[in-house]
Amino acid sequence: MNSRVPESIVPPVRHLAAVAEAGDGDRFAALLAPTLAPVRVRPLADGTFRSSLHSAVAGEVRVSVVSGSPCVLTRDADLIGPADPALLTVALQRAGRAGVAQDGRHCLLGPGDLVNYVTSRPYEVTFWEPYEAVVVTVPVAALGSHA
């Protein structure tokens, strides 16, 4: 039996890569916007700030590997526009410790832990040490009645 998915229904995959370095949290925030939605980035340590983002997109699903120096990513209410799509974000922490806060709930993450949150409400992600995370985003609307 052939269990392969016909190529005609598999969306093309686009690979994207970007790197931001040298203490530029604003530049990294601009690179993260298509992946995590617009956020503010505040480095937690003085000195050189390093960060990287590598993404692949298939249809409406984006898979990214985000890594870098300790920082705080904040999506405040003023960054959420009425026309912004709500994205379900699922992150796998691969290295470092992190915390995610949304709607009064807090989650502490270590390597191997998963967390999910949505971009249509304010959230904050804190990376206390150098980190790497695999982040999958999909529009909530694409989940239909399963959301």
Side-chain angles (χ1 to χ4, degrees):
M1 177 175 185
N2 186 355
S3 62
R4 187 173 175 176
V5 177
E7 289 183 22
S8 61
I9 63 170
V10 176
V13 175
R14 295 182 300 131
H15 296 278
L16 312 166
V19 177
E21 293 186 2
D24 196 342
D26 291 338
R27 182 170 171 219
F28 191 50
L31 295 173
L32 289 173
T35 301
L36 303 176
V39 294
R40 289 186 180 88
V41 177
R42 180 174 51 89
L44 289 179
D46 293 334
T48 302
F49 175 73
R50 297 190 186 278
S51 55
S52 69
L53 168 68
H54 301 274
S55 294
V57 179
E60 295 182 303
V61 177
R62 178 183 296 260
V63 179
S64 303
V65 177
V66 182
S67 62
S69 302
C71 63
V72 179
L73 309 179
T74 305
R75 182 155 166 84
D76 292 319
D78 66 315
L79 293 176
I80 302 171
D84 289 350
L87 300 174
L88 171 64
T89 302
V90 178
L92 169 65
Q93 189 73 19
R94 293 191 46 179
R97 292 177 310 114
V100 177
Q102 186 173 52
D103 298 333
R105 296 183 307 263
H106 301 270
C107 179
L108 300 177
L109 303 166
D113 290 337
L114 281 169
V115 66
N116 70 289
Y117 51 95
V118 293
T119 62
S120 57
R121 297 191 308 272
Y123 64 87
E124 183 172 277
V125 180
T126 303
F127 297 103
W128 290 289
E129 54 196 41
Y131 67 93
E132 181 178 87
V134 177
V135 180
V136 178
T137 57
V138 61
V140 171
L143 301 175
S145 61
H146 303 290

